Amino acid sequence: MQESDPNKPVEPNNRLGRISKNAAFLMMMAVMLLFLMRAMGSPDQAVLELTYTEFNDHLNADRVDQVTFRDRAVTGEFRQPVREEGEDFARFRTRLPGEVGDQLLEDLIARGVVVSAEATERGLGTVLLGLLPWLLFIAFWIWIFRTMQGGGNRAFQFGKSQAKLISPDTPKVTFADVAGADEAKEELQEVIEFLKDPEKFSRLGGRLPKGVLLVGPPGTGKTLLARAVAGEAGRPFFQMSGSDFVEMFVGVGASRVRDLFEQGKAHAPCIIFVDEIDAVGRHRGAGLGGGHDEREQTLNALLVQMDGFESNEGVILLAATNRPDVLDPALLRPGRFDRQVVVDAPDVRGREGILRVHAKKIPLADDVELSLIARGTPGMSGADLENICNEAALLAARRDGERVSMNDFEQAKDKVMLGTERKSLVLTEDERRLTAYHEAGHAVLGLRIPGLDPVHKVTIVPRGRALGITASLPKEDRHSYRKEWMEGQLAMLFGGRVAEEMIFGPEAITTGAGNDIERATEMARRMVTSFGMSEVVGLVAIGNNEQEVFLGREIAQRRTVSEYTQRVVDEEVKRFLDAAHAKAHEVLNKNKDLIESIAQALLDRETLDRAQLEVLERGEELPPLPVESVEEEESLPLTKPAAEPEKAKPGLALPGGEGPLPGPAPGVVEGLGSEEL
């Protein structure tokens, strides 16, 4: 069997295309011929157009020699040419207002006019002009049917696959451009070797994998890995998105799946990549409606094509999703997706490799240490690290620098992790003091409670949607969390509220701790219901309601938690929170001097880093600020009417956004935010 050219795209049926073009050409020539016949059939002699009154006047004046009736049209000749508007006319034409009457015929015969009549005959041109609309309509539908049968990307190709064949001219991405996913690269490298040399594995009874599913959180490089496979394989590579299967017409998705695999078999061995496959691979029978919908028909066609009655040898389906929990079990079984490759957030070495890949396009200064940046960005994905490199380059360009310095990377890291500084938002002095003591309370608990992550930075400069931020970074990547650490984290969350109570009194507390309380409640509830950290409730998973409503599973399930158990859970959650609040009170009461020193330093400097916090923790004085910084700060306005309350809820984000604990950003990020009542 001769192997087809992998770089040759699927071509439409040229014969059908030529037929359609020839039919259109013949139709156009016929129309032009009709108009030409009409033009040639016109009389050479001039004809005078008369009204019936003028015709009657000429008849009474005895100027009419002969007339010919054709229905109500009358043509005739004058006895002598009649001059009208400087021109002589021997013939005339008029139209009767009604049927020919006996009186008119008698008058014509009495005056010696030769009267004749002709039957109405429809010429070929008239017949063709009458049939022209029908001919055009029939030709239009013939063109539609031929186009739908003909293939290609022409109009009305709803049932044809929208997959793009990656051509050799496309800029290639190789595995050298991918870092931080070594295990995934090894799995995919084996697939590439399968395609290049199938006999190497088939001689021992192995077979090509039918499908490889890339699973991982957003931004970890699943699509980049697929592009690298396309660059490394050297075989035809079809790329398509899961949303491209479904259109507004019924049956289009299943037809496109069949057409996609037909193209794949024509170019076998090849790879078909479907990005975001959860758009068509969701669990069947889900939701409140019936199961016979367009998406399920598309999924059924995909299941049959991957492993059905007919085998598609040499066609490997490579798919990517960040929602494997919603995929149908029939899609995930061996024989369809034989391998599931997990593309998770990179570790320290992976982050450093990713930074080096993105830093190749950036001129770096001598003081840049990518390893330090990698250690300071735990839990970040490849997309986050690329964003940091891009922001650093933009900051260097903004200051007209020739190279990107380490300070640019630090500012970019803070911008991505903590948010953009809102220098235009100037707080009143009372709000600045409140924010300073609130953040000092968080910082003191982060310094004094053993086992918590080191405090990285404290600031009262508004960033993003927060008025103040306390950020902590772990010394190493965390993959599991101890109960002691989580209890200390709960106490740290309450540090801001407790500091407000101690300094300003219980009656002066604000809404700034709203998000802290919300996060602490969520963490305590998961400790009780999911992690089995409550001695009263025990090792029981309670109320796992995190499934999507559209999956329809929760609707069909009966309630398995009694009211007594739910009341016990609420009591245990309240106990954890009360214990954390009491612990925060205890620690802060013993460190009032440290709270005061950190708060005053924040009011003076607005931002404190780890080294400055260690100096204050030892009870020492911070070195004086440079003169330029002091003059710059004095030039800024310190008072301004308070801004309108925001709906922002900045707060604590625990390490590892994809871990078992809730948190939108890596590291510990906490801030005082204005919350609308």
Side-chain angles (χ1 to χ4, degrees):
M1 178 177 179
Q2 186 178 0
E3 189 177 280
S4 59
D5 186 5
N7 299 323
K8 183 179 180 180
V10 179
E11 297 181 353
N13 193 325
N14 293 329
R15 185 177 63 83
L16 294 176
R18 287 195 298 269
I19 292 177
S20 300
K21 292 180 181 179
N22 293 337
F25 177 75
L26 292 176
M27 186 66 64
M28 183 175 62
M29 292 298 297
V31 173
M32 293 178 61
L33 182 62
L34 287 176
F35 283 106
L36 185 62
M37 291 173 59
R38 297 274 298 204
M40 294 178 62
S42 59
D44 296 332
Q45 297 180 354
V47 178
L48 178 62
E49 296 287 344
L50 298 177
T51 64
Y52 183 74
T53 302
E54 293 172 343
F55 166 71
N56 200 29
D57 293 340
H58 286 291
L59 180 63
N60 293 331
D62 201 18
R63 299 192 187 100
V64 179
D65 181 50
Q66 63 179 6
V67 294
T68 301
F69 289 94
R70 183 182 293 115
D71 291 337
R72 289 190 297 172
V74 179
T75 59
E77 297 179 359
F78 294 111
R79 298 182 187 277
Q80 298 292 334
V82 175
R83 190 169 187 80
E84 291 285 344
E85 298 180 357
E87 185 177 357
D88 293 334
F89 292 93
R91 296 175 59 82
F92 67 89
R93 181 168 50 232
T94 187
R95 191 170 184 80
L96 300 177
E99 297 294 336
V100 179
D102 295 337
Q103 184 63 40
L104 176 60
L105 291 176
E106 292 176 359
D107 292 343
L108 291 172
I109 294 173
R111 296 181 183 278
V113 178
V114 179
V115 180
S116 60
E118 294 181 358
T120 303
E121 296 181 359
R122 303 182 65 182
L124 179 61
T126 305
V127 173
L128 290 179
L129 284 177
L131 293 177
L132 182 61
W134 293 100
L135 293 175
L136 292 176
F137 183 75
I138 295 173
F140 174 71
W141 279 105
I142 292 176
W143 175 74
I144 288 180
F145 290 139
R146 290 188 181 278
T147 304
M148 294 181 67
Q149 296 172 1
N153 290 326
R154 295 170 295 187
F156 299 98
Q157 293 296 312
F158 303 118
K160 297 300 179 182
S161 170
Q162 304 296 317
K164 298 179 181 178
L165 180 61
I166 303 299
S167 64
D169 300 332
T170 305
K172 290 187 177 181
V173 177
T174 63
F175 281 152
D177 302 317
V178 181
D182 296 336
E183 293 82 4
K185 288 165 62 175
E186 291 179 4
E187 293 281 347
L188 295 174
Q189 184 66 45
E190 187 174 336
V191 174
I192 294 174
E193 292 181 4
F194 262 120
L195 291 173
K196 291 183 176 179
D197 189 10
E199 296 181 357
K200 176 181 178 181
F201 301 91
S202 61
R203 65 185 180 86
L204 297 178
R207 61 171 178 81
L208 282 172
K210 293 292 186 64
V212 179
L213 182 64
L214 301 177
V215 178
T220 52
K222 299 183 293 297
T223 306
L224 180 64
L225 276 170
R227 292 170 59 190
V229 171
E232 294 278 354
R235 298 299 309 166
F237 189 93
F238 293 90
Q239 181 268 331
M240 193 172 183
S241 173
S243 60
D244 292 338
F245 286 105
V246 182
E247 287 279 359
M248 62 182 290
F249 299 98
V250 177
V252 168
S255 175
R256 286 182 175 176
V257 169
R258 291 189 291 268
D259 184 71
L260 176 62
F261 278 86
E262 287 294 330
Q263 295 184 34
K265 286 190 290 185
H267 292 77
C270 70
I271 300 176
I272 297 174
F273 174 61
V274 181
D275 201 3
E276 306 296 345
I277 196 173
D278 52 278
V280 293
R282 283 180 175 263
H283 198 287
R284 287 173 292 180
L288 298 176
H292 190 77
D293 59 5
E294 176 67 12
R295 182 186 55 78
E296 291 195 4
Q297 299 307 313
T298 305
L299 174 58
N300 291 335
L302 183 61
L303 296 176
V304 172
Q305 292 295 327
M306 291 188 68
D307 187 19
F309 196 78
E310 295 182 0
S311 61
N312 292 313
E313 295 295 337
V315 179
I316 297 179
L317 182 63
L318 183 64
T321 181
N322 54 12
R323 293 298 308 277
D325 55 311
V326 304
L327 295 180
D328 193 85
L331 191 64
L332 300 177
R333 72 163 176 82
R336 290 198 172 104
F337 280 113
D338 299 277
R339 297 185 181 181
Q340 294 189 26
V341 179
V342 177
V343 187
D344 211 342
D347 55 7
V348 177
R349 290 181 300 175
R351 292 195 297 272
E352 183 177 354
I354 293 173
L355 288 172
R356 294 192 183 281
V357 169
H358 294 302
K360 290 180 181 178
K361 301 176 291 184
I362 302 175
L364 301 179
D366 297 335
D367 62 339
V368 175
E369 296 186 28
L370 297 179
S371 59
L372 292 179
I373 302 174
R375 288 198 298 268
T377 53
M380 280 196 169
S381 64
D384 296 325
L385 297 173
E386 181 186 9
N387 193 22
I388 288 179
C389 292
N390 184 61
E391 290 290 344
L394 295 179
L395 289 173
R398 190 176 303 168
R399 62 176 176 81
D400 296 329
E402 296 294 332
R403 293 178 176 273
V404 181
S405 64
M406 189 67 177
N407 185 44
D408 295 325
F409 275 99
E410 290 293 338
Q411 293 183 26
K413 185 178 69 172
D414 291 343
K415 184 176 181 180
V416 173
M417 296 176 63
L418 309 179
T420 307
E421 289 187 0
R422 300 172 61 192
K423 297 181 179 180
S424 60
L425 180 60
V426 182
L427 305 178
T428 63
E429 188 61 28
D430 291 340
E431 287 179 328
R432 291 183 75 249
R433 290 186 70 248
L434 177 66
T435 305
Y437 281 101
H438 184 103
E439 301 305 326
H442 289 300
V444 169
L445 288 172
L447 294 171
R448 292 304 192 198
I449 296 180
L452 290 182
D453 298 328
V455 180
H456 170 66
K457 181 174 292 187
V458 183
T459 179
I460 59 172
V461 177
R463 278 184 174 271
R465 304 171 69 181
L467 301 182
I469 291 174
T470 300
S472 298
L473 291 177
K475 296 180 180 179
E476 56 188 12
D477 293 343
R478 290 183 180 272
H479 303 288
S480 60
Y481 304 88
R482 301 177 61 181
K483 179 181 179 182
E484 179 185 6
W485 183 89
M486 299 185 70
E487 290 176 342
Q489 204 71 49
L490 289 176
M492 186 177 177
L493 281 168
F494 286 122
R497 168 56 65 86
V498 174
E500 292 180 26
E501 296 174 354
M502 291 175 54
I503 303 301
F504 302 101
E507 68 281 353
I509 59 176
T510 66
T511 61
N515 188 247
D516 298 334
I517 298 173
E518 180 181 347
R519 288 173 177 270
T521 304
E522 175 66 19
M523 185 186 299
R525 184 168 296 278
R526 296 190 68 179
M527 291 172 65
V528 174
T529 60
S530 300
F531 304 145
M533 294 183 178
S534 170
E535 294 81 2
V536 177
V537 176
L539 304 178
V540 181
I542 300 174
N544 186 14
N545 295 325
E546 296 181 0
Q547 297 173 354
E548 295 291 336
V549 175
F550 296 105
L551 290 180
R553 300 172 185 169
E554 194 65 25
I555 299 175
Q557 292 177 350
R558 60 184 179 87
R559 185 177 179 86
T560 58
V561 180
S562 65
E563 295 182 1
Y564 172 77
T565 304
Q566 191 62 51
R567 183 169 66 251
V568 172
V569 169
D570 294 339
E571 292 174 353
E572 282 296 287
V573 171
K574 183 68 164 55
R575 184 177 66 83
F576 273 109
L577 297 177
D578 291 342
H581 187 265
K583 186 174 183 178
H585 258 292
E586 178 185 354
V587 175
L588 293 182
N589 280 325
K590 295 179 181 179
N591 297 275
K592 292 183 179 179
D593 295 338
L594 184 57
I595 295 176
E596 190 67 30
S597 60
I598 293 178
Q600 291 302 322
L602 286 173
L603 291 173
D604 294 338
R605 301 169 183 260
E606 292 189 336
T607 301
L608 299 176
D609 57 18
R610 175 64 183 170
Q612 293 171 328
L613 289 172
E614 290 177 351
V615 172
L616 295 175
E617 187 179 10
R618 294 193 299 266
E620 302 174 3
E621 294 290 335
L622 291 176
L625 288 171
V627 178
E628 294 81 9
S629 299
V630 174
E631 292 178 353
E632 183 180 355
E633 289 185 0
E634 290 179 353
S635 64
L636 294 175
L638 295 180
T639 59
K640 182 181 179 181
E644 290 294 326
E646 301 177 358
K647 296 182 179 179
K649 291 185 178 182
L652 183 70
L654 300 175
E658 294 298 327
L661 297 179
V668 177
V669 181
E670 196 283 334
L672 177 70
S674 56
E675 184 175 351
E676 190 173 281
L677 294 177

